Amino acid sequence: MVILYIPPQGLVLFSLLSLVDVNFIQMVWKALLVLSLFASVFIFRRIFKLDPKQTCYLLAGICFSHACFEAFRIDQLATVLLLLFSLTLYSLYREKLSLSGIFLTFLFVLKPQHSIPFIVFLAGAKRWKVLFSFGVTLALLTLIAFLQVGFDGFINYLELMRDPMSAVRQQAELSATVRGQLVRLFPGYEDMIFLATTLIYGVLVLFSFYWGRLVSKEETWLSRGIFLIVPLSLV
């Protein structure tokens, strides 16, 4: 079993699932993951103007990847995150900046570490309208989460994340990240790997801001951000 570690704000997004009968929840969740995958591919097709053949290649590449296999095997959030990211990009390309900020917030509260470099990149690129929408949506989700779990719920989450056993329970070796694969290859060196990758991650976040400033006035700023900054989150 893999424990789902998401901030209290992320629980707000799953509240509706509590209405589903427990006997059908696994089926509903699996269907949601599959639909999210196909919806993501469709949106990427619209963003990058892919023809049918290219779309099939994209879908096949995702479906036959080990990351996709593991995500469906243990019912990870991966395809939901992919859908939220694709919606964020689609909104940015369409200049619907407030909407992109909302989708970016949903992505952040479900997987903060994967979205922070891109958020910092947007700050460097001075896309303030996106970040304002992000901040307002995050504040709203925080308020709703506070009403759901109270102050003690937030404190308990922080204590859980500070627990030395937290990293063990998260089973980092199952994630498609540099940290996860290093833990898989070098068991017994988890503390050293976590420290090294955390330091590298911090440097890459600073670089994300610098890169945003560097390309902020270019017409292709978003494309350059996607293909350079987004992969950095996989550290």
Side-chain angles (χ1 to χ4, degrees), residues 127-171:
R127 266 44 186 192
W128 306 124
K129 190 172 182 179
V130 179
L131 296 176
F132 177 77
S133 175
F134 170 83
V136 171
T137 308
L138 182 60
L140 181 60
L141 289 178
T142 301
L143 175 61
I144 297 174
F146 182 79
L147 295 175
Q148 285 185 323
V149 303
F151 183 75
D152 288 341
F154 281 84
I155 295 300
N156 291 338
Y157 172 75
L158 293 176
E159 290 179 351
L160 175 67
M161 297 307 295
R162 286 199 296 263
D163 186 346
M165 290 299 295
S166 176
V168 177
R169 298 190 191 103
Q170 290 187 65
Q171 299 185 43

Side-chain angles (χ1 to χ4, degrees), residues 28-228:
V28 170
W29 180 249
K30 189 73 75 174
L32 176 63
L33 296 181
V34 173
L35 289 174
S36 296
L37 172 60
F38 283 97
S40 301
V41 172
F42 175 77
I43 294 170
F44 282 127
R45 179 178 183 272
R46 296 288 300 275
I47 293 174
F48 300 109
K49 298 179 174 60
L50 304 178
D51 59 37
K53 186 176 182 179
Q54 292 171 322
T55 305
C56 288
Y57 280 139
L58 174 62
L59 181 60
I62 295 174
C63 290
F64 285 101
S65 67
H66 185 69
C68 184
F69 169 77
E70 284 295 329
F72 281 108
R73 185 178 69 86
I74 59 177
D75 291 334
Q76 285 183 329
L77 278 170
T79 58
V80 176
L81 299 176
L82 183 64
L83 176 60
L84 290 173
F85 181 64
S86 65
L87 288 169
T88 300
L89 294 185
Y90 184 77
S91 301
L92 282 170
Y93 274 108
R94 293 286 180 171
E95 295 295 326
K96 298 179 180 179
L97 304 183
S98 296
L99 187 60
S100 67
I102 294 173
F103 289 129
L104 184 59
T105 309
F106 293 163
L107 179 63
F108 173 76
V109 298
L110 293 179
K111 207 73 170 180
Q113 67 271 30
H114 285 183
S115 50
I116 287 175
F118 189 65
I119 293 170
V120 174
F121 167 76
L122 291 175
K126 302 179 182 180
R127 266 44 186 192
W128 306 124
K129 190 172 182 179
V130 179
L131 296 176
F132 177 77
S133 175
F134 170 83
V136 171
T137 308
L138 182 60
L140 181 60
L141 289 178
T142 301
L143 175 61
I144 297 174
F146 182 79
L147 295 175
Q148 285 185 323
V149 303
F151 183 75
D152 288 341
F154 281 84
I155 295 300
N156 291 338
Y157 172 75
L158 293 176
E159 290 179 351
L160 175 67
M161 297 307 295
R162 286 199 296 263
D163 186 346
M165 290 299 295
S166 176
V168 177
R169 298 190 191 103
Q170 290 187 65
Q171 299 185 43
E173 68 275 8
L174 296 179
S175 63
T177 61
V178 173
R179 172 183 292 182
Q181 298 312 302
L182 287 175
V183 170
R184 181 192 292 268
L185 293 173
F186 304 101
Y189 294 91
E190 289 85 355
D191 291 343
M192 186 183 300
I193 292 171
F194 286 177
L195 176 60
T197 52
T198 299
L199 291 175
I200 293 172
Y201 183 83
V203 172
L204 294 178
V205 167
L206 293 176
F207 173 76
S208 299
F209 184 85
Y210 166 76
W211 186 250
R213 282 294 175 90
L214 196 64
V215 303
S216 60
K217 296 182 180 179
E218 297 184 14
E219 186 177 346
T220 58
W221 71 274
L222 182 54
S223 296
R224 298 185 69 177
I226 293 171
F227 295 110
L228 180 63

